[in-house]
Coordinates of all heavy atoms in Angstrom, one line a residue:
A1351 N 57.7 -45.4 -46.4 CA 56.9 -44.9 -47.4 C 56.2 -46.0 -48.2 O 55.0 -45.9 -48.6 CB 57.7 -44.0 -48.4
F1352 N 56.9 -47.1 -48.5 CA 56.4 -48.1 -49.5 C 56.1 -49.5 -48.9 O 55.3 -50.2 -49.6 CB 57.3 -48.2 -50.7 CG 57.5 -46.9 -51.4 CD1 58.7 -46.2 -51.3 CD2 56.4 -46.4 -52.2 CE1 58.8 -45.0 -52.0 CE2 56.6 -45.2 -52.8 CZ 57.8 -44.5 -52.8
H1353 N 56.7 -49.8 -47.8 CA 56.4 -51.2 -47.3 C 55.0 -51.3 -46.8 O 54.5 -50.5 -45.9 CB 57.4 -51.5 -46.1 CG 57.3 -52.9 -45.7 ND1 58.2 -53.8 -46.1 CD2 56.6 -53.6 -44.8 CE1 58.0 -55.0 -45.6 NE2 57.0 -54.9 -44.8
G1354 N 54.2 -52.2 -47.4 CA 52.8 -52.3 -47.1 C 52.2 -53.6 -47.5 O 53.0 -54.6 -47.7
P1355 N 50.9 -53.7 -47.6 CA 50.3 -55.0 -47.8 C 50.7 -55.7 -49.1 O 50.8 -57.0 -49.1 CB 48.8 -54.7 -47.9 CG 48.7 -53.4 -47.1 CD 49.9 -52.7 -47.4
S1356 N 51.0 -55.0 -50.2 CA 51.3 -55.7 -51.4 C 52.8 -55.4 -51.8 O 53.2 -56.0 -52.8 CB 50.4 -55.2 -52.6 OG 50.6 -53.8 -52.8
L1357 N 53.5 -54.6 -51.1 CA 54.9 -54.3 -51.4 C 55.8 -54.4 -50.2 O 55.6 -53.7 -49.2 CB 54.9 -52.9 -52.0 CG 56.2 -52.4 -52.6 CD1 56.6 -53.2 -53.8 CD2 56.1 -50.9 -53.0
R1358 N 56.8 -55.3 -50.3 CA 57.7 -55.5 -49.2 C 59.0 -54.7 -49.6 O 59.4 -54.8 -50.8 CB 58.1 -56.9 -48.9 CG 56.9 -57.7 -48.4 CD 57.3 -59.1 -48.0 NE 58.2 -59.1 -46.9 CZ 57.9 -59.0 -45.6 NH1 56.6 -58.8 -45.2 NH2 58.8 -59.0 -44.6
V1359 N 59.6 -54.0 -48.7 CA 60.8 -53.3 -49.0 C 61.9 -53.7 -48.0 O 61.7 -53.6 -46.8 CB 60.6 -51.7 -48.9 CG1 61.9 -51.0 -49.3 CG2 59.4 -51.3 -49.8
Y1360 N 63.0 -54.1 -48.5 CA 64.2 -54.5 -47.7 C 65.3 -53.5 -47.8 O 65.6 -53.0 -48.9 CB 64.7 -55.9 -48.2 CG 63.7 -57.0 -48.0 CD1 62.7 -57.2 -49.0 CD2 63.8 -57.9 -46.9 CE1 61.8 -58.3 -48.8 CE2 62.8 -58.9 -46.7 CZ 61.8 -59.1 -47.7 OH 60.9 -60.1 -47.5
A1361 N 65.9 -53.2 -46.7 CA 67.0 -52.2 -46.7 C 68.3 -52.8 -47.0 O 68.6 -54.0 -46.6 CB 67.0 -51.5 -45.3
N1362 N 69.2 -52.1 -47.7 CA 70.5 -52.6 -48.0 C 71.5 -51.4 -48.2 O 71.1 -50.4 -48.8 CB 70.5 -53.4 -49.3 CG 71.8 -54.1 -49.7 OD1 72.8 -53.7 -49.3 ND2 71.6 -55.2 -50.4
D1363 N 72.6 -51.5 -47.5 CA 73.5 -50.3 -47.6 C 74.6 -50.5 -48.7 O 75.5 -49.6 -48.9 CB 74.3 -50.1 -46.3 CG 75.1 -51.2 -45.8 OD1 75.2 -52.3 -46.5 OD2 75.8 -51.1 -44.7
D1364 N 74.4 -51.6 -49.5 CA 75.4 -51.8 -50.7 C 74.8 -51.2 -51.9 O 74.3 -51.9 -52.8 CB 75.6 -53.3 -50.9 CG 76.6 -53.6 -52.0 OD1 77.3 -52.7 -52.4 OD2 76.6 -54.8 -52.4
L1365 N 74.9 -49.9 -52.0 CA 74.3 -49.1 -53.2 C 75.0 -49.5 -54.5 O 74.3 -49.7 -55.5 CB 74.4 -47.6 -52.9 CG 73.8 -46.7 -54.0 CD1 72.3 -47.0 -54.3 CD2 74.0 -45.2 -53.6
V1366 N 76.3 -49.7 -54.4 CA 77.0 -50.1 -55.7 C 76.5 -51.4 -56.2 O 76.2 -51.6 -57.4 CB 78.5 -50.2 -55.4 CG1 79.2 -50.7 -56.6 CG2 79.1 -48.8 -55.0
G1367 N 76.3 -52.4 -55.3 CA 75.9 -53.7 -55.7 C 74.5 -53.7 -56.3 O 74.2 -54.3 -57.3
V1368 N 73.6 -53.0 -55.6 CA 72.2 -52.8 -56.1 C 72.1 -52.2 -57.5 O 71.4 -52.6 -58.4 CB 71.4 -52.1 -55.1 CG1 70.0 -51.7 -55.6 CG2 71.2 -52.9 -53.8
E1369 N 73.0 -51.1 -57.7 CA 72.9 -50.5 -59.0 C 73.6 -51.3 -60.1 O 73.1 -51.3 -61.2 CB 73.7 -49.1 -58.9 CG 72.9 -48.1 -58.1 CD 73.4 -46.7 -58.2 OE1 74.6 -46.5 -58.5 OE2 72.6 -45.8 -58.0
I1370 N 74.6 -52.0 -59.8 CA 75.2 -52.9 -60.8 C 74.2 -54.0 -61.2 O 74.0 -54.3 -62.4 CB 76.5 -53.5 -60.3 CG1 77.6 -52.5 -60.3 CG2 76.9 -54.7 -61.1 CD1 78.1 -52.1 -61.7
G1371 N 73.5 -54.6 -60.2 CA 72.5 -55.6 -60.5 C 71.4 -55.0 -61.4 O 71.1 -55.7 -62.4
G1372 N 70.9 -53.8 -61.1 CA 69.9 -53.2 -61.9 C 70.4 -52.9 -63.3 O 69.6 -53.0 -64.3
A1373 N 71.6 -52.5 -63.5 CA 72.1 -52.1 -64.8 C 72.5 -53.3 -65.7 O 72.1 -53.4 -66.9 CB 73.4 -51.2 -64.6
V1374 N 73.2 -54.3 -65.1 CA 73.7 -55.4 -65.9 C 72.6 -56.4 -66.3 O 72.6 -57.0 -67.4 CB 74.9 -56.1 -65.2 CG1 75.3 -57.3 -66.0 CG2 76.0 -55.1 -65.0
K1375 N 71.6 -56.5 -65.4 CA 70.5 -57.5 -65.7 C 69.8 -57.1 -67.0 O 69.3 -58.0 -67.7 CB 69.6 -57.7 -64.5 CG 68.9 -56.4 -64.1 CD 67.5 -56.2 -64.7 CE 66.9 -54.9 -64.3 NZ 65.5 -54.7 -64.9
N1376 N 69.7 -55.8 -67.3 CA 69.0 -55.4 -68.6 C 69.8 -55.9 -69.8 O 69.2 -56.3 -70.8 CB 68.9 -53.9 -68.6 CG 67.9 -53.4 -67.6 OD1 66.9 -54.0 -67.4 ND2 68.1 -52.2 -67.1
V1377 N 71.1 -55.9 -69.7 CA 72.0 -56.3 -70.8 C 71.8 -57.8 -71.0 O 71.6 -58.3 -72.1 CB 73.4 -55.9 -70.5 CG1 74.3 -56.4 -71.7 CG2 73.6 -54.4 -70.3
L1378 N 71.9 -58.5 -69.9 CA 71.8 -60.0 -69.9 C 70.4 -60.4 -70.4 O 70.3 -61.5 -71.1 CB 72.0 -60.6 -68.5 CG 73.4 -60.3 -68.0 CD1 73.5 -60.7 -66.5 CD2 74.5 -60.9 -68.8
A1379 N 69.3 -59.7 -70.1 CA 68.0 -60.0 -70.5 C 67.9 -60.0 -72.1 O 67.1 -60.8 -72.6 CB 67.0 -59.1 -69.9
I1380 N 68.7 -59.1 -72.7 CA 68.7 -59.1 -74.2 C 69.2 -60.4 -74.7 O 68.7 -61.0 -75.6 CB 69.5 -57.9 -74.7 CG1 68.8 -56.6 -74.3 CG2 69.7 -58.0 -76.2 CD1 69.7 -55.4 -74.6
A1381 N 70.3 -60.9 -74.0 CA 70.9 -62.2 -74.5 C 69.9 -63.4 -74.3 O 69.8 -64.2 -75.1 CB 72.2 -62.4 -73.7
V1382 N 69.2 -63.4 -73.1 CA 68.3 -64.5 -72.9 C 67.1 -64.4 -73.8 O 66.6 -65.4 -74.3 CB 67.8 -64.4 -71.4 CG1 66.7 -65.5 -71.2 CG2 69.0 -64.6 -70.5
G1383 N 66.6 -63.2 -74.2 CA 65.6 -63.0 -75.2 C 66.0 -63.6 -76.5 O 65.2 -64.2 -77.2
L1384 N 67.3 -63.3 -76.9 CA 67.8 -63.8 -78.1 C 67.8 -65.4 -78.1 O 67.4 -66.0 -79.1 CB 69.2 -63.3 -78.3 CG 70.0 -63.8 -79.5 CD1 69.4 -63.2 -80.8 CD2 71.5 -63.5 -79.4
C1385 N 68.2 -65.9 -77.0 CA 68.2 -67.4 -76.8 C 66.9 -68.0 -77.0 O 66.6 -69.0 -77.7 CB 68.8 -67.7 -75.4 SG 68.7 -69.4 -74.9
D1386 N 65.9 -67.4 -76.3 CA 64.5 -67.9 -76.4 C 63.9 -67.6 -77.8 O 63.2 -68.5 -78.3 CB 63.6 -67.2 -75.4 CG 63.9 -67.6 -73.9 OD1 64.6 -68.6 -73.8 OD2 63.5 -66.9 -73.0
G1387 N 64.3 -66.5 -78.4 CA 63.8 -66.2 -79.7 C 64.3 -67.2 -80.8 O 63.6 -67.5 -81.8
L1388 N 65.5 -67.7 -80.5 CA 66.0 -68.8 -81.4 C 65.6 -70.2 -81.1 O 66.1 -71.1 -81.7 CB 67.6 -68.7 -81.4 CG 68.1 -67.4 -82.0 CD1 69.6 -67.3 -81.8 CD2 67.8 -67.3 -83.5
Q1389 N 64.8 -70.3 -80.0 CA 64.2 -71.5 -79.5 C 65.3 -72.5 -79.2 O 65.3 -73.7 -79.6 CB 63.2 -72.1 -80.6 CG 62.1 -71.2 -80.8 CD 61.1 -71.8 -81.8 OE1 61.3 -72.8 -82.5 NE2 59.9 -71.2 -81.8
L1390 N 66.3 -72.1 -78.4 CA 67.4 -72.9 -78.0 C 67.1 -73.8 -76.8 O 67.9 -74.7 -76.5 CB 68.7 -72.1 -77.8 CG 69.1 -71.2 -78.9 CD1 70.4 -70.5 -78.6 CD2 69.4 -72.1 -80.2
G1391 N 66.0 -73.6 -76.2 CA 65.6 -74.5 -75.1 C 65.8 -73.9 -73.7 O 66.6 -72.9 -73.5
L1392 N 65.2 -74.6 -72.7 CA 65.3 -74.2 -71.3 C 66.7 -74.4 -70.7 O 67.1 -73.7 -69.8 CB 64.2 -74.8 -70.5 CG 62.8 -74.5 -71.0 CD1 61.8 -75.3 -70.1 CD2 62.5 -73.1 -70.9
N1393 N 67.4 -75.5 -71.2 CA 68.7 -75.7 -70.7 C 69.6 -74.5 -71.0 O 70.4 -74.1 -70.2 CB 69.3 -77.0 -71.4 CG 68.6 -78.2 -71.0 OD1 67.8 -78.3 -70.0 ND2 68.9 -79.3 -71.7
A1394 N 69.6 -74.1 -72.3 CA 70.4 -72.9 -72.7 C 70.0 -71.7 -71.9 O 70.9 -70.9 -71.5 CB 70.2 -72.7 -74.2
R1395 N 68.7 -71.5 -71.7 CA 68.3 -70.3 -70.9 C 68.9 -70.3 -69.5 O 69.4 -69.3 -69.0 CB 66.8 -70.2 -70.8 CG 66.3 -69.1 -70.0 CD 64.9 -69.3 -69.5 NE 63.9 -68.9 -70.5 CZ 62.6 -69.0 -70.3 NH1 62.1 -69.3 -69.1 NH2 61.8 -68.7 -71.3
A1396 N 68.8 -71.5 -68.8 CA 69.3 -71.6 -67.4 C 70.8 -71.4 -67.4 O 71.3 -70.7 -66.5 CB 69.0 -73.0 -66.9
A1397 N 71.5 -71.9 -68.4 CA 73.0 -71.7 -68.4 C 73.3 -70.2 -68.6 O 74.2 -69.7 -68.0 CB 73.6 -72.5 -69.5
L1398 N 72.6 -69.6 -69.5 CA 72.9 -68.2 -69.8 C 72.6 -67.3 -68.6 O 73.4 -66.4 -68.3 CB 72.0 -67.7 -71.0 CG 72.4 -66.5 -71.8 CD1 73.8 -66.7 -72.3 CD2 71.5 -66.4 -73.0
I1399 N 71.5 -67.5 -67.9 CA 71.2 -66.7 -66.7 C 72.2 -66.9 -65.6 O 72.7 -66.0 -65.0 CB 69.8 -67.1 -66.2 CG1 68.7 -66.6 -67.1 CG2 69.6 -66.5 -64.8 CD1 67.3 -67.0 -66.8
T1400 N 72.6 -68.2 -65.4 CA 73.6 -68.5 -64.4 C 75.0 -67.9 -64.7 O 75.6 -67.3 -63.8 CB 73.7 -70.0 -64.2 OG1 72.5 -70.6 -64.0 CG2 74.6 -70.4 -63.0
R1401 N 75.4 -68.0 -65.9 CA 76.7 -67.4 -66.3 C 76.6 -65.9 -66.3 O 77.6 -65.2 -66.0 CB 77.2 -68.0 -67.6 CG 77.4 -69.5 -67.7 CD 78.3 -70.0 -66.5 NE 79.6 -69.2 -66.5 CZ 80.4 -69.2 -65.4 NH1 80.0 -69.7 -64.3 NH2 81.5 -68.5 -65.4
G1402 N 75.5 -65.4 -66.7 CA 75.3 -64.0 -66.6 C 75.4 -63.4 -65.2 O 76.0 -62.3 -65.0
L1403 N 74.8 -64.1 -64.3 CA 74.9 -63.7 -62.8 C 76.4 -63.7 -62.4 O 76.8 -62.8 -61.7 CB 74.1 -64.7 -62.0 CG 74.2 -64.4 -60.5 CD1 73.5 -63.1 -60.2 CD2 73.4 -65.5 -59.7
A1404 N 77.2 -64.6 -62.9 CA 78.6 -64.6 -62.6 C 79.3 -63.4 -63.1 O 80.1 -62.7 -62.5 CB 79.3 -65.9 -63.1
E1405 N 78.9 -63.0 -64.3 CA 79.5 -61.8 -64.9 C 79.1 -60.5 -64.1 O 79.9 -59.7 -63.8 CB 79.0 -61.6 -66.4 CG 79.6 -62.6 -67.4 CD 79.3 -62.2 -68.8 OE1 78.9 -61.1 -69.1 OE2 79.4 -63.1 -69.7
M1406 N 77.8 -60.4 -63.8 CA 77.3 -59.3 -63.0 C 78.1 -59.2 -61.7 O 78.5 -58.1 -61.3 CB 75.9 -59.5 -62.7 CG 75.2 -58.5 -61.8 SD 73.6 -59.0 -61.2 CE 72.7 -59.0 -62.8
T1407 N 78.3 -60.3 -61.0 CA 79.0 -60.4 -59.7 C 80.5 -59.9 -59.9 O 81.0 -59.2 -59.1 CB 78.9 -61.8 -59.1 OG1 77.5 -62.2 -59.0 CG2 79.5 -61.8 -57.7
R1408 N 81.1 -60.4 -60.9 CA 82.5 -60.0 -61.1 C 82.7 -58.5 -61.3 O 83.6 -57.9 -60.7 CB 83.1 -60.8 -62.4 CG 83.4 -62.2 -62.2 CD 84.3 -62.7 -63.3 NE 83.8 -62.7 -64.6 CZ 83.1 -63.6 -65.2 NH1 82.8 -64.8 -64.5 NH2 82.6 -63.5 -66.4
L1409 N 81.8 -57.9 -62.1 CA 81.9 -56.5 -62.3 C 81.6 -55.8 -60.9 O 82.3 -54.8 -60.6 CB 81.0 -56.0 -63.4 CG 80.9 -54.5 -63.6 CD1 82.3 -54.0 -64.0 CD2 79.9 -54.2 -64.7
G1410 N 80.6 -56.2 -60.3 CA 80.2 -55.6 -59.0 C 81.3 -55.6 -58.0 O 81.6 -54.6 -57.3

Side-chain angles (χ1 to χ4, degrees):
F1352 298 109
H1353 191 92
S1356 65
L1357 188 62
R1358 296 187 63 82
V1359 182
Y1360 295 83
N1362 190 331
D1363 62 359
D1364 183 13
L1365 180 56
V1366 174
V1368 168
E1369 288 193 337
I1370 285 292
V1374 176
K1375 59 93 181 181
N1376 286 328
V1377 180
L1378 300 172
I1380 296 173
V1382 177
L1384 177 70
C1385 170
D1386 289 346
L1388 294 173
Q1389 299 183 344
L1390 299 183
L1392 299 178
N1393 293 347
R1395 177 201 280 184
L1398 202 52
I1399 291 174
T1400 306
R1401 298 310 304 160
L1403 179 62
E1405 289 191 18
M1406 175 193 294
T1407 304
R1408 285 198 296 269
L1409 179 59

